[in-house]
Amino acid sequence: MQTMRAAAVKGGGLLADRLKYKYFKLFYLAGLLWSVLRYLLLIGLAFLILYPLLVKLSNSFMSAQDLIDGTVRFIPREATWFNYETVIEYTSFLKALLNTLGISVMSGVLQMFVCTMVGYGLARFKFKGQGLVFTLVVLTILIPPQTYMISLYMKFSFFDIFGLLSLTGVESIRLLDSIWPMAILSLIGFGFKNGLYILIMRQYFKGIPKELEEAAYVDGSGLFRTFAKIILPISFAMMITIFLFSFSWQWTDSFYSSMFYSQIKLLSNTLLTGFEGLMLEGATVGLKNGQPLTATLTNTMSLLIVAPLIILYLFAQKYLVEGIEHSGIVG
């Protein structure tokens, strides 16, 4: 009798093990299938996003014959650097590149430090009117800059500090076509997208334990020393993120560039007006006015503009991802 019971128990155990193995195999296959579908979906989405860039990259190496040849789609039959050489030569690309680099780096550095200090102040200190200041910061995000563009243009066309120059009989200063408009806007926290940067830094500082600063105060460290020695080092990734955002948006900005820099060559206004003279000089450079060629030159110029941003991201993607994860805005 005991032998029969033992055999029954053993048989039931074997059946249970088989069922467990069967269900485990089904779950494993289902998980494997879902992983394959997920990767296929991600690859498809990535292809949809990268497809226009890949088409532009392919067209930029095509010759004039390839552009009008209906049998040539993605791979150029006669690969050439003609489009890049033409763009660089006839649009003052190198000069515009240096000017844009200088203004973007200056704006990025100033906005990084200013927004860090303002965000830290809003996150840590209690003062009268704090809610009003934060509301104004949010309003700078919500209100489109087109509503006050005329005021900004007139202010920097006839720059006067609180009317002090007119009181002393000195004429107002014209600051357009110089670095001062963007430098002043960045220093006062009113630069391009500064409200968003301040909000990001405020949310980040709110997540830092106050015990770190309190311990420094107990040890005799002052406010500025604590900020410089403790807060700034642990905020390095967020500051780099703010710099990258500011640099990227300033690099491709056409709103402030067209308003403040009508006489200075920048990449944004070069892309908009650079090919007018080129098309007029078509006989000189051996070109014919036509939509395929004009579109190809525009695509080539846009690739040259985006290339530095891609290179910058490849070197700074670690800090960018880490900063976004700790920003408190996403997630």
Side-chain angles (χ1 to χ4, degrees):
M1 181 67 71
Q2 293 180 355
T3 304
M4 295 177 61
R5 289 179 179 177
V9 171
K10 185 176 181 180
L14 292 174
L15 181 60
D17 292 339
R18 290 177 180 176
L19 291 176
K20 290 180 180 179
Y21 177 75
K22 183 177 181 180
Y23 285 123
F24 174 78
K25 189 175 181 180
L26 290 175
F27 282 121
Y28 175 77
L29 292 176
L32 181 62
L33 179 60
W34 167 243
S35 298
V36 172
L37 292 176
R38 182 175 58 186
Y39 279 108
L40 289 176
L41 179 62
L42 292 176
I43 293 174
L45 290 175
F47 177 76
L48 290 177
I49 296 173
L50 294 176
Y51 177 76
L53 182 62
L54 296 176
V55 172
K56 288 184 177 182
L57 183 62
S58 174
N59 288 342
S60 66
F61 290 101
M62 289 186 179
S63 62
Q65 291 75 18
D66 291 336
L67 293 175
I68 61 177
D69 190 348
T71 61
V72 178
R73 295 297 300 275
F74 301 109
I75 301 177
R77 183 170 297 170
E78 299 178 5
T80 178
W81 292 96
F82 174 77
N83 297 321
Y84 289 95
E85 294 172 352
T86 303
V87 167
I88 293 175
E89 181 180 358
Y90 288 90
T91 60
S92 303
F93 175 78
L94 296 179
K95 183 178 180 180
L97 178 66
L98 293 177
N99 292 336
T100 305
L101 180 63
I103 294 176
S104 299
V105 171
M106 178 204 66
S107 300
V109 172
L110 291 178
Q111 291 181 19
M112 177 182 65
F113 284 107
V114 170
C115 294
T116 299
M117 290 187 289
V118 175
Y120 181 75
L122 291 175
R124 282 294 189 260
F125 303 116
K126 302 295 182 182
F127 55 90
K128 292 184 179 180
Q130 181 184 18
L132 177 61
V133 173
F134 182 69
T135 301
L136 293 176
V137 170
V138 175
L139 285 178
T140 60
I141 306 175
L142 301 178
I143 298 178
Q146 288 81 2
T147 57
Y148 49 82
M149 63 178 297
I150 298 179
S151 299
L152 283 178
Y153 181 82
M154 296 302 296
K155 177 63 67 175
F156 290 111
S157 294
F158 308 96
F159 186 76
D160 192 353
I161 304 176
F162 302 112
L164 297 178
L165 295 179
S166 59
L167 290 176
T168 58
V170 180
E171 295 184 358
S172 58
I173 304 173
R174 177 181 170 85
L175 297 181
L176 299 180
D177 294 312
S178 68
I179 65 172
W180 288 109
M182 291 309 304
I184 293 174
L185 290 177
S186 300
L187 283 173
I188 64 176
F190 200 66
F192 195 41
K193 304 288 185 180
N194 268 24
L196 177 61
Y197 308 149
I198 294 174
L199 178 61
I200 291 176
M201 296 306 299
R202 175 183 178 271
Q203 293 300 110
Y204 173 74
F205 287 129
K206 276 186 169 295
I208 297 178
K210 294 183 178 180
E211 288 76 12
L212 292 175
E213 298 148 280
E214 294 174 354
Y217 296 150
V218 171
D219 291 338
S221 179
L223 173 63
F224 293 102
R225 185 178 180 183
T226 301
F227 180 75
K229 297 292 184 180
I230 297 178
I231 300 301
L232 288 183
I234 63 178
S235 307
F236 181 75
M238 281 303 306
M239 295 176 65
I240 294 298
T241 302
I242 296 301
F243 173 79
L244 292 175
F245 282 157
S246 176
F247 182 89
S248 301
W249 273 321
Q250 185 62 45
W251 186 270
T252 56
D253 167 58
S254 59
F255 177 77
Y256 287 107
S257 299
S258 60
M259 182 168 55
F260 294 145
Y261 306 110
S262 60
Q263 303 298 325
I264 295 180
K265 282 285 187 178
L266 296 177
L267 291 179
S268 56
N269 55 35
T270 299
L271 179 61
L272 295 175
T273 62
F275 298 110
E276 295 179 358
L278 178 62
M279 292 297 101
L280 293 176
E281 299 177 9
T284 303
V285 296
L287 303 177
K288 295 181 179 179
N289 294 337
Q291 184 63 28
L293 180 59
T294 305
T296 301
L297 293 175
T298 304
N299 292 337
T300 304
M301 182 69 179
S302 63
L303 288 175
L304 290 174
I305 293 176
V306 174
L309 297 180
I310 297 176
I311 296 173
L312 179 64
Y313 172 76
L314 292 177
F315 285 98
Q317 59 177 323
K318 174 184 176 182
Y319 299 104
L320 180 62
V321 174
E322 182 179 349
I324 292 177
E325 288 179 351
H326 293 87
S327 63
I329 302 297
V330 182

